[in-house]
Amino acid sequence: MPDSLDAVAVRQWCALGLDALRRHQREIDDLNVYPVPDGDTGTNLVLTVSAAVEAIAVHREAIAPELLRALARGALLGARGNSGVILSQLLRGLADGLATSPSPGGLAFAAALVAAADAAYRAVAVPAEGTVLSVARAAATAAAETESDDLAVVVRAAAAAARQALARTPEQLPALARAGVVDAGGRGLCVLLDALAEVVTGVTGTDEVYPPPKRSVVARERLRVREAGSTEFAYEVQYLLDASDTAVEKLRATLGGLGDSLVVVGTGDGTWNVHVHVNDVGGAVEAGVVAGRPYRIAVTRFDDQVGTDPDARAVVVLCVGDGIAELFAAEGAVVVTASAGGTPSTAEILAAIRATGAGNVVVLPNDPNAASVAAAAATEARAEKVNTAVIRTRSPVQALAALAVRDPERRFDDDVIEMAEAAGACRYGEVTVASRAALTVAGPCEPGDVLALIEGEVNLIGKDLGTVCRDLLDRMLSGGGELVTLVTGENAPDGLAGELAGHLERRWKFVEMQAHEGGQPHYPLLVGVE
């Protein structure tokens, strides 16, 4: 067994940790407090660690500090959801703490774990106990208190303290206590620490093993130089795309009119690798949005530097749903789409910011689960001298309100303030269907119940979708409002928007209404009231 966290031990930990997270992915997903079927922590952690493991695969001869830095960087760029961002910060703190230790023993590891917990707390605007943060802090404290240079002793103490802290999380967060679960992010960290303990002690844990999820394998090629084509075109754009054969044929025609060196390769399962040389980067990305779901967008200028106009402005919007994506694209935004149940990674958002070619960019995340990822991407963009602001919109209807007040004649900072105030003044509601039994602030719900949420909190529970939608409108408008925005989802019944329009006309005669087909999953209706 290794007596230090050398490069071999780091690689073993990564492999075992990812395998363990995949086994426990469903278990961690099921620890979500709310019964809304999206933003699952287990899935986000698996995707984040997968990206981190991919990042170290190319560092074949690296020593431990170099591997840990690559691991932390990979986790940051692949981070999904709040749990992924926090985990990336833990790894960054660990890497920084061990930067000068090629083969750290117990004392060095304990000190680095303390630094990692501190980094994670600093990364969160309002740290809360009863979360992965308190689990990380307990592990670090226990490791330091051993005062041992025996790595096995230190790691065992950290893993044991993490499990004990996880068991206490329901005492610290009432929402966890009501749901009868422990914190999902903390559970994920325990899985990773148990994997490290297995590496340094050789003792396999006794947790029940779940079969790993089926994951599609996407073929990828990295193109970074001009391999063909005219020197007329200055940029290479490449992305992965989920789309139908018919949509891809139209995409080929569109991209063929924008540039040359067009290559679109399919993997046979609806995933495509798109490559083209263009001058209009935004047009190439937006063509992908029209065709399907572009992601892992990469833009390269042939002198290895993507040009930006320091005076130009742009907006990057995160969303789910073809209709919503088209709506934002029509408003001139660069759209980053996410699959159902997921959020875009830091790398995808950063690529979209770069793709705008603008020196001043506003990012609208439209989902609490994506806010931390958007903030991480903005930090990276600012390091590249792109003035980037994140307006923490929690719903697409708030983003629509923000976009409506943009004014290019204002100073950029003033425009950001106006957009943020418009988003904040838009109250938002959502209607979904419970995927599991839970105790909410509105009472208990069962699978299949219709839930109406206002500002992210369950307010109404019912059996009939139309009735719950009407009651949600009445409750939101009882507090005032002049404009109602309705966005119907992919599972909305035909005529829902018309039915609600009739209700508003009868009950709220002086309220103006706008309706859009969003196509978003999970939520048959999104509501904004201004």
Side-chain angles (χ1 to χ4, degrees):
M1 296 302 103
D3 56 6
S4 65
L5 193 63
D6 58 14
V8 173
V10 170
R11 292 186 189 278
Q12 291 175 336
W13 178 32
C14 290
L16 282 178
L18 179 56
D19 183 61
L21 281 175
R22 285 173 172 165
R23 292 199 312 271
H24 292 279
Q25 180 175 349
R26 184 56 144 335
E27 172 201 342
I28 298 171
D29 281 346
D30 287 343
L31 292 176
N32 281 351
V33 173
Y34 281 102
V36 177
D38 62 355
D40 287 349
T41 301
T43 300
N44 285 338
L45 287 174
V46 166
L47 292 171
T48 301
V49 175
S50 294
V53 171
E54 288 179 7
I56 68 169
V58 297
H59 298 272
R60 301 183 185 279
E61 306 297 331
I63 60 176
E66 295 168 347
L67 275 185
L68 287 170
R69 283 196 297 272
L71 189 73
R73 175 73 173 174
L76 174 66
L77 294 180
R80 306 280 182 143
N82 291 341
S83 56
V85 172
I86 292 174
L87 176 61
S88 74
Q89 293 303 305
L90 286 169
L91 292 172
R92 172 67 183 273
L94 200 62
D96 289 347
L98 298 176
T100 59
S101 303
S103 299
L107 289 173
F109 178 78
L113 201 57
V114 172
D118 290 341
Y121 267 88
R122 289 194 299 270
V124 178
V126 184
E129 299 303 321
T131 66
V132 62
L133 295 175
S134 49
V135 174
R137 176 74 79 203
T141 300
E145 287 177 351
T146 65
E147 298 183 349
S148 172
D149 202 35
D150 186 325
L151 184 62
V153 169
V154 173
V155 172
R156 279 199 302 264
R163 289 192 295 271
Q164 293 167 3
L166 179 68
R168 292 193 296 271
T169 56
E171 303 169 12
Q172 298 168 297
L173 274 183
L176 296 177
R178 287 196 300 268
V181 296
V182 295
D183 178 68
R187 175 64 179 128
L189 180 58
C190 286
V191 168
L192 290 174
L193 288 174
D194 286 341
L196 180 58
E198 181 176 343
V199 169
V200 300
T201 66
V203 178
T204 303
T206 58
D207 285 341
E208 183 179 358
V209 175
Y210 292 86
K214 295 180 180 179
R215 297 169 56 83
S216 61
V217 178
V218 177
R220 288 178 292 163
E221 290 184 8
R222 298 291 184 184
L223 302 175
R224 287 292 179 266
V225 296
R226 186 190 299 277
E227 71 283 4
S230 169
T231 56
E232 173 188 350
F233 300 108
Y235 298 95
E236 175 194 70
V237 177
Q238 188 171 11
Y239 48 80
L240 297 182
L241 177 73
D242 290 341
S244 67
D245 292 4
T246 302
V248 168
E249 286 305 312
K250 295 179 181 178
L251 173 68
R252 284 193 174 101
T254 301
L255 293 180
L258 291 177
D260 69 3
S261 296
L262 174 62
V263 180
V264 182
V265 180
T267 60
D269 61 355
T271 299
W272 306 82
N273 193 315
V274 179
H275 169 272
V276 67
H277 294 176
V278 295
N279 288 325
D280 183 3
V281 173
V285 174
E286 289 172 14
V289 172
V290 172
R293 185 180 77 91
Y295 56 104
R296 293 189 184 175
I297 304 166
V299 179
T300 303
R301 197 166 75 172
F302 290 115
D303 63 3
D304 289 330
Q305 185 178 19
V306 176
T308 59
D309 180 348
D311 297 322
R313 301 184 187 182
V315 178
V316 172
V317 181
L318 283 55
C319 69
V320 180
D322 293 341
I324 293 179
E326 292 178 7
L327 190 63
F328 286 129
E331 291 291 330
V334 172
V335 181
V336 183
T337 56
S339 60
T343 58
S345 69
T346 308
E348 290 169 331
I349 301 170
L350 179 58
I353 294 171
R354 291 169 176 160
T356 66
N360 303 278
V361 179
V362 174
V363 181
L364 305 175
N366 293 342
D367 182 349
N369 290 320
S372 296
V373 185
T379 298
E380 293 288 313
R382 286 191 287 268
E384 298 177 5
K385 309 303 182 185
V386 178
N387 186 17
T388 309
V390 178
I391 297 175
R392 291 180 172 255
T393 50
R394 299 166 65 87
S395 171
V397 294
Q398 291 186 317
L400 290 172
L403 290 170
V405 301
R406 281 181 301 167
D407 184 352
E409 299 302 319
R410 281 195 291 255
R411 290 177 57 252
F412 177 71
D413 290 345
D414 293 338
D415 209 27
V416 170
I417 292 171
E418 291 293 330
M419 293 174 70
E421 289 179 348
C426 178
R427 289 172 290 132
Y428 71 96
E430 304 154 314
V431 176
T432 188
V433 177
S435 60
R436 59 176 69 95
L439 181 61
T440 75
V441 294
C445 71
E446 298 296 330
D449 283 350
V450 181
L451 310 180
L453 295 82
I454 300 177
E455 306 287 332
E457 200 71 72
V458 177
N459 270 242
L460 298 166
I461 301 173
K463 300 295 184 183
D464 178 71
L465 177 65
T467 301
V468 172
C469 290
R470 290 192 299 272
D471 290 346
L472 173 63
L473 291 175
D474 291 342
R475 181 161 297 191
M476 294 183 71
L477 286 169
S478 65
E482 299 175 349
L483 173 65
V484 172
T485 301
L486 305 180
V487 181
T488 53
E490 64 179 3
N491 295 321
D494 292 340
L496 178 62
E499 175 188 339
L500 297 178
H503 175 73
L504 288 172
E505 187 175 350
R506 291 188 299 272
R507 182 79 183 270
W508 306 93
K509 296 183 182 297
F510 301 105
V511 170
E512 181 183 350
M513 188 198 81
Q514 297 177 347
H516 308 283
E517 293 183 5
Q520 70 275 3
H522 305 313
Y523 298 93
L525 183 69
L526 303 177
V527 179
V529 174
E530 303 173 58

